[in-house]
Amino acid sequence: KMGLYHQALLAFKEADRTLNGLGVEFNECRNYCRQDIAQENYYLGNYEEAERGCLDLIAKDPMDIRSISVLASVYFKANQKDKFYECYNKIDTINPSQLGSYVAMYPNVKTNILAQRLAIDGKTDEALQLANTLPYLECQSLKVDIYMHANLWEKAFYCQKELNTHYDSLNYA
């Protein structure tokens, strides 16, 4: 839901400002906030801001697969194949033993970006099969993007409707 993403973006920006004044020992927390800001900008459709944020984070930490993944998604949405392939190749060459705290997200990131690559290469059915191996919310969100990329608007709308129904059923109080 856009309202929730916008609220999250504002909260992460405030946390980043607060952490900025606390000193070097909080840089890792600040980087997590900046990753969240980039991701929320992506969800809100602020792709240029998401790209800028990701590029800044990757320049500081080339192993930041979360930022690389969000950046790949930005390029996937924009159908910027060359830039998408750069992100794909970067993730494809990362050794999971070098990832430190990012290692837990590696399998889903790898699956997500491979499904996007299949979609870019015109292999929609294979991309959808791979997307189905992800947890429900990631799967549905990725399927929306895959269907949109293939100009299958009715199916994209259906998946988005399923996501909205899921989010509407959550209690945020």
Side-chain angles (χ1 to χ4, degrees):
K1 296 298 232 183
M2 286 305 160
L4 292 175
Y5 290 134
H6 183 71
Q7 289 173 9
L9 179 63
L10 294 176
F12 291 134
K13 284 184 175 181
E14 182 60 31
D16 183 51
R17 279 191 292 276
T18 301
L19 290 167
N20 186 37
L22 295 178
V24 172
E25 62 272 13
F26 290 94
N27 278 347
E28 187 173 348
C29 292
R30 190 163 184 232
N31 284 340
Y32 286 131
C33 280
R34 288 184 171 180
Q35 288 171 334
D36 290 334
I37 290 169
Q39 190 160 6
E40 295 307 317
N41 273 317
Y42 168 76
Y43 289 143
L44 289 167
N46 302 332
Y47 300 127
E48 288 179 10
E49 286 184 49
E51 178 185 30
R52 241 187 330 272
C54 289
L55 289 172
D56 182 49
L57 287 162
I58 294 165
K60 294 175 187 172
D61 180 3
M63 299 302 218
D64 181 353
I65 63 167
R66 182 175 176 200
S67 296
I68 297 168
S69 177
V70 172
L71 187 59
S73 293
V74 167
Y75 295 145
F76 176 76
K77 284 260 193 186
N79 203 27
Q80 294 182 15
K81 292 180 182 182
D82 291 342
K83 290 183 177 183
F84 171 83
Y85 286 134
E86 286 177 30
C87 294
Y88 176 86
N89 291 335
K90 191 176 286 191
I91 287 180
D92 199 40
T93 59
I94 290 176
N95 181 340
S97 67
Q98 300 171 312
L99 292 175
S101 62
Y102 299 120
V103 74
M105 67 178 64
Y106 182 75
N108 286 356
V109 166
K110 185 92 170 170
T111 299
N112 191 315
I113 199 167
L114 178 56
Q116 289 174 334
R117 172 150 188 182
L118 290 167
I120 278 185
D121 291 343
K123 299 175 181 175
T124 303
D125 290 338
E126 290 177 53
L128 291 168
Q129 286 176 342
L130 197 55
N132 283 329
T133 67
L134 291 168
Y136 178 77
L137 293 177
E138 288 180 65
C139 170
Q140 289 298 104
S141 181
L142 181 56
K143 285 168 70 172
V144 169
D145 291 344
I146 291 168
Y147 284 133
M148 288 174 66
H149 192 79
N151 297 322
L152 298 169
W153 305 110
E154 190 172 314
K155 290 182 178 188
F157 176 76
Y158 176 78
C159 286
Q160 187 62 56
K161 185 177 172 187
E162 289 289 311
L163 274 173
N164 292 348
T165 300
H166 177 80
Y167 285 123
D168 288 344
S169 72
L170 298 175
N171 181 2
Y172 291 105

